[in-house]
Amino acid sequence: MLSKFEIDGKIVGDGYPPYVIAEAGSNFNQSLSTAKKLIDVAADSKADAVKFQLFSADSLYPSTAPEYKLFKQVELNREWIPELYAYANSRNITFLASSFDKQSVDVLENIDVAAHKIASSETTNASLLAYIASKQRPIILSTGMCDLIDVQEAVNICKNNGCDSIVILQCSTIYPLPIEQANISVLSLYQEIFSTPVGFSDHTISNVASITAIAKGANIIEKHFTLDKTADGPDHFYALEPDELEFFISSIHDAYSALGEPKKNLLIDERKFGRREGIYASHDIKKGEKISSDNIYVRRPALGLRARYINTVNGMSAKKDILAETPITWDYLEPNS
C-alpha cells in the first residue's frame, strides 16, 4: 500500500498538511441552490474537499421498510452532480461523494471524481468495494460499524482489485458521538498494520477529538457541516454552522503546525532573548591576539558561543579584529599553530 498519494493535486500522507473534508451529506435540503451554498461555505472555510452522499433509497431498502421513506426524502438528485462538480471546481474545492451502489459510482466516474469515499455502512459491501477499487482511484475508507477483521478484509479487497491508494478513517456511527468513545488511539494500530495514511471522521460535537487525531498522526479529517443546525433533517443538529466550520478547519491546521518535528532546536528568538550565558569580548581584541579571561567574559543572552565552551576558546587566537561587547563565534577564532 502507498504511504502517501495525491487527491486532486494535494498530497495525503505524513509530512503534509491535513486534508480536511467538509461533509455536506444530506444537509442540502433537496435544494440545488442550498447545495451550492454549502459548497461556498466549505470553500470559504478553506476545506480541501466538500462531500455529499449519493444513493438511491430504492437500491437500499424495500419500499415497505421504515428507513425507505427517510432515505427517499434525503436523496441527492443525480442529475445535479455535473453542475455541482463544476461549481465546486469554480470555487477551487474538490467535489466528493460517498456512493452506495454501482450506478452511483458510475455517475461519479463520469465526472472524473478525484477519489471515492466509502461510507461505514458500505465497508463490508464486498461487491461494491471491489467495483470501486477497480476504478483505481484513491479510496477514503470509513470504518464505523467495523471490527479489525472487517477492515482487513476491506483493505484486501481494494488491493486485490487494483487500488493501492487507501486512507483508513477511524469512525463511529453514533450521532453525535460521545467524545470518550472516539478511540483515536486506533489510528496507531491502523498505521502499524496497514502502513497507509489514516484519518478521522468526526461525529463529536466539539473540535477536541479531531485535534487529538492530528496529534496521533491523522492525515485526513472529515466533519459534518450545515447552514443551520436547527433545520429539519437527520444530520443538521450535530453539524457545524459556517463560522464554526471555519474555526474548526483553522484549529486543525494550527494543531498540525504545533506538531513541529522530532528534534529539539533552540529557537532564533530564544537565542536572542533567552536567559542563557554566552561568551563576549570584554574589550576590543586585535587580530592575532590570544583569547583569555583578560579579554572575554560571560554575559546574556547567548547570541554566540555558549558559556560551556569558555575553556575551549581560552588560548585560541582572534582570526580578525573583534569589537568590545561582540558575541564570540567560531568564525572569529582559530587555533594557535
Side-chain angles (χ1 to χ4, degrees), residues 82-308:
E83 187 172 348
L84 291 176
Y85 174 78
Y87 189 73
N89 278 348
S90 74
R91 290 303 319 273
N92 197 30
I93 187 170
T94 298
F95 178 91
L96 298 175
S98 300
S99 48
F100 292 72
D101 54 70
K102 293 179 180 179
Q103 292 74 26
S104 297
V105 176
D106 292 341
V107 170
L108 296 176
E109 282 292 308
N110 287 338
I111 61 166
D112 198 26
V113 71
H116 285 288
K117 171 68 194 301
I118 310 296
S120 292
S121 62
E122 307 311 307
T123 299
T124 57
N125 186 340
S127 62
L128 177 63
L129 194 56
Y131 187 68
I132 291 173
S134 71
K135 306 305 179 181
Q136 299 185 5
R137 299 183 190 271
I139 286 178
I140 303 165
L141 182 73
S142 278
T143 60
M145 298 184 283
C146 294
D147 59 22
L148 186 57
I149 293 175
D150 292 330
V151 180
Q152 289 174 316
E153 289 178 345
V155 171
N156 287 337
I157 289 171
C158 292
K159 290 168 60 177
N160 293 338
N161 286 274
C163 180
D164 58 4
S165 302
I166 303 174
V167 185
I168 304 175
L169 303 189
Q170 165 61 350
C171 179
S172 298
T173 52
I174 305 296
Y175 308 92
L177 178 71
I179 196 165
E180 65 271 15
Q181 296 180 19
N183 197 22
I184 303 300
S185 289
V186 80
L187 296 182
S188 299
L189 179 66
Y190 286 166
Q191 289 170 321
E192 178 184 350
I193 294 174
F194 301 110
S195 300
T196 64
V198 297
F200 179 53
S201 183
D202 188 357
H203 298 147
T204 68
I205 58 173
S206 75
N207 299 351
V208 174
S210 285
I211 290 172
T212 304
I214 293 297
K216 292 293 288 185
N219 308 116
I220 282 185
I221 297 292
E222 181 181 70
K223 190 79 165 177
H224 283 258
F225 77 108
T226 179
L227 300 181
D228 178 5
K229 63 177 61 182
T230 66
D232 291 333
D235 295 334
H236 289 286
F237 73 100
Y238 64 89
L240 300 178
E241 291 187 338
D243 57 338
E244 295 173 317
L245 179 66
E246 184 175 1
F247 179 73
F248 173 81
I249 294 174
S250 175
S251 298
I252 292 302
H253 288 289
D254 284 348
Y256 176 75
S257 296
L259 291 177
E261 53 187 349
K263 62 174 71 171
K264 179 58 179 171
N265 294 320
L266 183 62
L267 300 178
I268 293 174
D269 282 348
E270 284 183 315
R271 182 177 292 277
K272 186 175 180 181
F273 301 111
R275 294 184 297 276
R276 296 292 185 269
E277 291 79 10
I279 305 171
Y280 287 74
S282 59
H283 60 261
D284 291 348
I285 303 173
K286 298 294 185 183
K287 178 180 178 181
E289 186 177 343
K290 277 192 175 182
I291 304 300
S292 71
S293 58
D294 293 333
N295 53 25
I296 61 171
Y297 55 25
V298 171
R299 294 290 186 272
R300 297 179 179 185
L303 297 180
L305 295 173
R306 298 282 291 273
R308 66 168 65 105

Side-chain angles (χ1 to χ4, degrees), residues 6-18:
E6 288 189 7
I7 296 179
D8 202 14
K10 294 185 178 179
I11 299 178
V12 175
D14 290 346
Y16 294 89

